[in-house]
Amino acid sequence: MNDVVLEVATLTKAFGGVNAISNLSFETRRGEILGVIGPNGSGKTTLFNVITGVLPASAGKVRFCGEAITGLSTDTISQRGLIRTFQSATVFKNETVYENIRRGSMFGCIGKPSWFFRPGVVANGKRTAKETVAELLEFSGLSDLATRIAGTLPYGKQKMLGVVIALARRPLQLLMDEPAAGLNPTETVAMGELVTQIRDKREIDVVLVEHDMKMVTAVCDRILALNYGKAIAIDIPERIVRHPEVIDAYLGVDHE
Ligand SMILES: Nc1ncnc2c1ncn2[C@@H]1O[C@H](COP(=O)(O)OP(=O)(O)OP(=O)(O)O)[C@@H](O)[C@H]1O
Ligand SMILES: [Mg+2]
């Protein structure tokens, strides 16, 4: 069985004359949390936008679970189990926490290759929306806030809810865009634990874009470092933090 989940092959995304993503190739492996780091404007969000079909690629290919997804609609890609979260908190602010998660669970997840199904995913697929919401509330520790209006929650809880809404859509792989952005240190630790549990307890693979290096090095198995849309290195955290080019381009520089 093939261990590769997401394959990005010679991907390029140009805006006008500038390549936000430039001839980028990497792959993720099953069970992996892959971090993606790089300076502001290095193409991290654009990478997610192209992978998920929000923006068309200028060149190159993306495959998910062995099937080409380049050029497919965002809906089709998410139905195959590739789901993303956003840099800012994206919740239905006037709805309760419960209703937010229920809405997420109403998006189906069909068309996944059969070989990719895992016991947890199949069980989840048979659950009712109510059971899914209850289970996710417990998993995320948001049960006590179920009846609260989402917009009244602290920002950290709103971002956590954004992640849980994405989980309700039953991803096989979750692309997370800066889940710790705007969070205080305590909330950041909680978010890091949530990311780890998403992989460990739910068996969902994760690609994690994040500036908080403490979190990235703590939770990621490997890290891809980008600069100007190109890969500088992809390696285990211990080697990435010592990589001279990564230090030059990113780690030695002030960023948020
Ligand atoms: N829709 C767009 N149209 C034109 N240029 C864009 C568009 N989206 C992104 N860019 C440009 O592409 C480059 C990469 O931007 P991107 O948002 O992917 O960076 P990022 O690595 O996510 O940065 P940050 O860490 O600040 O979130 C930047 O130069 C940005 O200005
Ligand atoms: Mg970004």
Side-chain angles (χ1 to χ4, degrees):
M1 193 182 290
N2 196 342
D3 236 21
V4 173
V5 178
L6 181 71
E7 298 169 70
V8 170
T10 60
L11 195 69
T12 295
K13 177 64 193 175
F15 293 115
V18 180
N19 283 348
I21 299 288
S22 188
N23 200 29
L24 179 66
S25 300
F26 67 93
E27 54 190 37
T28 73
R29 301 165 190 159
R30 195 184 301 195
E32 180 172 57
I33 301 178
L34 177 75
V36 181
I37 60 170
N40 297 117
S42 58
K44 306 178 297 294
T45 298
T46 302
L47 175 63
F48 278 6
N49 283 337
V50 176
I51 290 173
T52 55
V54 173
L55 296 172
S58 305
K61 283 204 166 62
V62 181
R63 291 166 75 81
F64 182 62
C65 302
E67 292 172 5
I69 58 167
T70 334
L72 298 182
S73 71
T74 53
D75 281 352
T76 305
I77 291 170
S78 66
Q79 280 167 359
R80 290 188 181 196
L82 189 52
I83 308 279
R84 60 98 60 91
T85 67
F86 293 87
Q87 232 169 303
S88 52
T90 44
V91 299
F92 305 102
K93 285 196 187 296
N94 298 321
E95 305 281 359
T96 63
V97 168
Y98 185 98
E99 181 59 18
N100 266 274
I101 304 174
R102 196 191 66 82
R103 283 183 186 224
S105 74
M106 302 313 274
F107 290 98
C109 190
I110 53 173
K112 291 173 195 166
S114 56
W115 62 263
F116 206 83
F117 278 106
R118 303 162 186 166
V121 176
V122 173
N124 199 19
K126 287 181 186 153
R127 283 194 187 123
T128 62
K130 203 171 161 186
E131 285 167 338
T132 301
V133 179
E135 191 270 322
L136 281 168
L137 281 167
E138 197 186 326
F139 170 76
S140 60
L142 292 176
S143 297
D144 291 349
L145 303 173
T147 57
R148 285 276 300 273
I149 299 296
T152 68
L153 295 176
Y155 189 67
K157 296 287 185 206
Q158 290 191 36
K159 280 204 86 166
M160 204 166 264
L161 178 58
V163 174
V164 179
I165 294 168
L167 290 178
R169 301 179 69 184
R170 292 183 226 130
L172 294 173
Q173 185 169 51
L174 197 56
L175 308 180
M176 306 181 79
D177 198 354
E178 298 196 33
L183 303 194
N184 67 35
T186 313
E187 292 169 336
T188 300
V189 170
M191 185 61 83
E193 282 166 8
L194 182 66
V195 174
T196 303
Q197 298 215 336
I198 286 170
R199 192 271 309 275
D200 292 353
K201 297 206 170 142
R202 307 190 79 81
E203 297 183 30
I204 295 167
D205 298 331
V206 177
V207 182
L208 174 68
V209 165
E210 187 46 70
H211 284 295
D212 188 301
M213 281 307 290
K214 207 170 150 195
M215 175 174 164
V216 174
T217 52
V219 310
C220 294
D221 301 299
R222 292 188 304 152
I223 298 172
L224 165 68
L226 294 181
N227 199 23
Y228 297 109
K230 292 187 177 136
I232 306 175
I234 182 165
D235 211 333
I236 56 171
E238 293 75 9
R239 282 202 283 267
I240 285 289
V241 297
R242 292 198 183 88
H243 194 290
E245 273 184 77
V246 179
I247 294 170
D248 270 0
Y250 183 58
L251 297 178
V253 183
D254 272 347
H255 53 79
E256 44 175 70

